[in-house]
Amino acid sequence: MTIGGLTVEVWYPAELGSEAGQEKIRYDIRTGLPDAEQGKVPDADNPWQDCECWQGLPLDADHGPYPAVIFVHGTAGFRSQSLEHVVHWASRGFVVLAADHPGLWLKDLLGSLCGVPMVPQNLADDIGQLVAALAAPAGDLAFGAGHVDVERIAMAGHSAGGGAIADAGGSARVLIPMAAGGVEAGAALESTLILGALSDEVVAYSSQQEGFESSPAPKRLVGIADAGHLAFSSLCSLKNTQGQDFLQIAQANDVCGAQFASLLFDCSPDYTPDTTSWEITQFASSAVLESVLRCTDAADNCNELQAKFPEVAEFQEAL
């Protein structure tokens, strides 16, 4: 949908069984390439992004109102870059919003390297638009009126997106920066979860450790061993039927700006498998989100993290 000047995807709990007979959503990430580059990648080479979700199902109005999570993608990312997480949160009873952020998303950054004027970036304004839209649902978001509790908002962000939410504690009760730094105190902020990867070659894990130290309590830090910068996204696992990853496909089809993407493409077959990193992220983030925004005792699950996942090399909390 469109909210203000943003293209936004919204995932939400639907009526049980309403997906019967409907086709699941398949995202075409070529829409995240500059217009002149989209036709270079044929369907056969495309790394389609399949989603355990459906378009336009009726919202489950028998439950709720639902807390909301705003997700902000990283540099050269896009709204479905961390699809496994946003869908998981929606399945746990949250309404999740993610936008393609002008000046930050893949299309604009690659375009700026290929002769397209750079689009200005204003992440604080983008986030403000999403918060305002949740407070007064209208237009495409009108279906959520009365079903979203604007007093129960969380924000998560990856890399630059994690930096963008660092000072959003005035409206978010939970902040979850991933592969970024810490956060600042805010009137609404009740809990922070800092997620990092120990082998991150883009943003050093020490940034998460330092961010944990400087962030206000209550706070938690989870560090995943042998994982890279994109462990909190789908990007390393997005492959076509030939087994080529996103970067290989772009380079093979001479997509302009692919050399820039290679600087951020921190993927390795030696890293902890993405599926494991996703499971850790979902387990820890759901524990924090549900304990604060749904008033459960799910935060106790954090004590099981290292026993459940040997790949969690570091877990700290200050409550």
Side-chain angles (χ1 to χ4, degrees):
M1 63 181 62
T2 299
I3 294 177
L6 302 173
T7 299
V8 181
E9 198 86 8
V10 181
W11 296 267
Y12 56 90
E15 289 182 10
L16 188 63
S18 61
E19 78 282 5
Q22 305 295 317
E23 290 188 8
K24 295 178 182 179
I25 295 174
R26 167 174 269 194
Y27 294 103
D28 185 350
I29 64 172
R30 290 175 295 189
T31 60
L33 298 177
D35 293 343
E37 307 301 307
Q38 292 178 11
K40 291 184 175 181
V41 181
D43 286 353
D45 289 350
N46 195 43
W48 300 96
Q49 191 177 27
D50 292 311
C51 182
E52 191 68 20
C53 57
W54 294 260
Q55 187 77 36
L57 300 184
L59 182 143
D60 181 1
D62 290 337
H63 300 89
Y66 299 102
V69 180
I70 293 172
F71 178 78
V72 184
H73 65 71
T75 301
F78 42 90
R79 64 186 186 274
S80 64
Q81 71 147 61
S82 298
L83 188 62
E84 288 76 15
H85 303 325
V86 295
V87 170
H88 177 78
W89 296 330
S91 80
R92 302 292 296 180
F94 296 86
V95 172
V96 187
L97 286 74
D100 292 326
H101 292 279
L104 183 68
W105 78 302
L106 182 64
K107 183 173 185 176
D108 290 342
L109 288 175
L110 290 187
S112 69
L113 300 173
C114 306
V116 179
M118 185 58 185
V119 175
Q121 182 183 126
N122 191 333
L123 296 176
D125 183 66
D126 294 353
I127 294 171
Q129 287 190 62
L130 297 178
V131 172
L134 287 170
D140 291 338
L141 196 58
F143 79 97
H147 301 294
V148 180
D149 185 350
V150 74
E151 298 299 321
R152 292 185 290 155
I153 291 179
M155 296 183 194
H158 174 247
S159 193
I165 65 169
D167 62 352
S171 54
R173 292 171 61 179
V174 178
L175 293 175
I176 307 177
M178 307 171 176
V183 305
E184 300 174 13
L189 184 61
E190 295 180 35
S191 186
T192 297
L193 172 64
I194 297 170
L195 293 163
L198 271 68
S199 298
D200 192 327
E201 295 187 355
V202 179
V203 178
Y205 181 65
S206 58
S207 296
Q208 286 92 70
Q209 293 174 311
E210 293 165 4
F212 175 76
E213 292 298 327
S214 64
S215 297
K219 57 187 177 181
R220 294 177 175 87
L221 170 67
V222 175
I224 304 175
D226 300 318
H229 189 64
L230 300 181
F232 309 101
S233 76
S234 311
L235 298 177
C236 291
S237 290
L238 267 177
K239 297 182 179 180
N240 61 19
T241 55
Q242 291 81 43
Q244 294 175 305
D245 61 35
F246 181 68
L247 181 60
Q248 292 170 326
I249 295 164
Q251 292 174 334
N253 290 279
D254 196 29
V255 172
C256 184
Q259 69 279 5
F260 167 77
S262 67
L263 300 176
L264 301 172
F265 204 71
D266 184 16
C267 303
S268 170
D270 297 325
Y271 282 163
T272 293
D274 277 352
T275 51
T276 301
S277 294
W278 297 340
E279 191 175 359
I280 293 168
T281 299
Q282 291 163 13
F283 186 89
S285 62
S286 293
V288 174
L289 290 170
E290 292 175 29
S291 65
V292 175
L293 301 183
R294 301 190 66 185
C295 300
T296 73
D297 59 1
D300 293 342
N301 293 342
C302 291
N303 298 324
E304 304 173 14
L305 260 174
Q306 289 184 295
K308 185 176 179 66
F309 302 104
E311 298 81 5
V312 175
E314 181 173 21
F315 173 66
Q316 292 191 54
E317 63 181 3
L319 307 178

